[in-house]
Amino acid sequence: MDVQEHISTLTDIAIDYKNAQDKELARLDSLLAEATDDGELEALRAQRKGCLEVRQRLIVQIEKSQLSNKLTPAASSIPDQRLLTRLTAAWAIDYKDPSLNTLRLHAHLKLCYDQWKSQELGFFSPYFAVFQSSGHGKSRLVQELCTSQKIPHMYICFRPVGSTGYPPRTAALAAFLTEDPSEAKWDAVLRAVLGLFCEVTNAESNSAISFDMWEAYKKEQGTAVENDIHRRATGLVNQTGIVPVDFLDPSQFLFVLDEARELVTATDLSTRSSFRMMRSSLRNYTKGVFAILMDTLSNIANFT
C-alpha cells in the first residue's frame, strides 16, 4: 500500500466513524425530544455533547487527510523497475504455511462451490470474498492455493493507476471492466478467458495436466496473454452465448479478482456497479467456474 492509498484508507475509516456519530446524534435527538425526567435529560445532553466533540475532531481529521492526499505527489504510472524486480523476487520466495491456511482455503472453496452447484441454499452467484489488512498475504495465499491444488486461474488486479503495490494492476482488463462497465463486458471477458484456456489446453479434462499447460502458456506469453484476452473480449462484446465448461472438474477454473473495492463504485445512484454486473455474468456458469474477490479493510456488505 503506497502513501496515497494509506491516506485514503485512513480517510475512509474516519468518514465511517463520522457517519456513525451522525446516526448517534440523530438517535440522541430523538430521545431528547421524548424525555421528561430531569436526570435523563441531563444524561442525554452530556452524551450528545461528547458525541458532537468526537464528530468535530473527526471532521478536522478528514479535512487534514484530504489535504495531505492532494499535496502528496502521485506515484508514477509506471512503477520503478528496480522496485518491481525486488518485489517479483520476493513473491517467488518459498511459501511457508505452518497453519495450513492453503488447505483451509481450499476446503472452503470446495464447500462454497458444492453449495453453489447444488443450489440447495439458493446462492446468487459462484464467488466468495477474502478480506484482511494490507500486507497479510492474501494475494500470495490465493496464488499458493492455485499452485498447490493445480487450479487453473486468471488473476485480474484492479489496483488504482499509479499504485506501487504488488502484484501490479492488470491494466488493460481492469480499465475495460471498470470504465463504463457493462454486463456485456464481463460476459465477454469470461468468454475470452475460458475460450483461450480451452484452446491452450485442448479441453483437457485432467485438472493437473490442464493447470501445467495453462501456466506454461502464461509464463511463455507474459503480458501478451492479457492483451490477447482484451482483444478477444472487445470483439465479443454484445455477442450472446457462454463458453461450455461443464466438462471441467468442480471449481476447475478460478477467477481471482484483487483490489475488488474498485468494482463496487457506481458513477451515480441509478447505475449498477461493475461488481453487480460481474455477479450476473458469473451466475451463467453453473458448473466448473468460481471466483474469489480480495481486498483490504472493506465493508463485507459491499460484496453481498
Side-chain angles (χ1 to χ4, degrees), residues 57-76:
R57 288 198 297 270
L58 288 167
I59 290 174
V60 172
Q61 182 60 49
I62 291 168
E63 291 175 347
K64 288 182 178 179
S65 297
Q66 290 174 336
L67 178 61
S68 296
N69 209 14
K70 290 180 180 179
L71 296 177
T72 302
S76 169

Side-chain angles (χ1 to χ4, degrees), residues 167-183:
R169 173 182 171 89
T170 314
L173 293 179
F176 183 73
L177 292 168
T178 56
E179 296 174 6
D180 191 23
S182 69
E183 195 170 319

Side-chain angles (χ1 to χ4, degrees), residues 183-185 187-188 191 232-242:
E183 195 170 319
K185 286 186 175 181
D187 288 338
R191 293 172 63 200
R232 291 171 181 241
T234 302
L236 288 171
V237 172
N238 297 324
Q239 293 186 23
T240 59
I242 66 172

Side-chain angles (χ1 to χ4, degrees), residues 21-157:
Q21 295 301 316
D22 287 341
K23 292 180 181 179
E24 179 64 9
L25 281 171
R27 186 186 73 85
L28 291 172
D29 286 340
S30 177
L31 293 175
L32 280 167
E34 299 176 359
T36 56
D37 181 77
D38 289 343
E40 182 181 6
L41 284 169
E42 183 178 354
L44 287 171
R45 286 167 182 156
Q47 290 182 49
R48 190 178 190 281
K49 180 181 178 182
C51 191
L52 280 172
E53 291 174 351
V54 171
R55 181 180 182 276
Q56 185 57 40
R57 288 198 297 270
L58 288 167
I59 290 174
V60 172
Q61 182 60 49
I62 291 168
E63 291 175 347
K64 288 182 178 179
S65 297
Q66 290 174 336
L67 178 61
S68 296
N69 209 14
K70 290 180 180 179
L71 296 177
T72 302
S76 169
S77 59
I78 303 177
D80 181 86
Q81 189 58 45
R82 291 173 297 179
L83 174 61
L84 188 58
T85 299
R86 291 196 294 269
L87 289 171
T88 303
W91 182 269
I93 293 174
D94 288 344
Y95 190 70
K96 307 297 182 184
D97 189 15
S99 299
L100 303 179
N101 289 324
T102 304
L103 292 177
R104 294 170 187 265
L105 184 59
H106 184 244
H108 184 66
L109 171 62
K110 188 178 185 308
L111 173 64
C112 291
Y113 175 80
D114 288 343
Q115 291 176 338
W116 157 251
K117 184 180 174 182
S118 70
Q119 283 297 298
E120 292 179 358
L121 299 179
F123 289 125
F124 182 80
S125 191
Y127 75 94
F128 65 76
V130 175
F131 292 106
Q132 181 55 279
S133 301
S134 180
H136 279 68
K138 298 180 301 299
S139 301
R140 182 67 190 274
L141 172 62
V142 175
Q143 174 64 39
E144 291 301 318
L145 163 70
C146 296
T147 301
S148 63
Q149 302 300 322
K150 290 188 175 292
I151 302 174
H153 63 285
M154 182 66 195
Y155 175 86
I156 303 177
C157 182

Side-chain angles (χ1 to χ4, degrees), residues 1 9 101 129-139 141 258-259 261 293-300 303:
M1 182 179 289
T9 298
N101 289 324
V130 175
F131 292 106
Q132 181 55 279
S133 301
S134 180
H136 279 68
K138 298 180 301 299
S139 301
L141 172 62
D258 208 350
E259 303 292 332
R261 67 181 177 276
L293 284 67
M294 296 184 291
D295 211 328
T296 60
L297 300 176
S298 185
N299 183 344
I300 291 179
F303 293 94

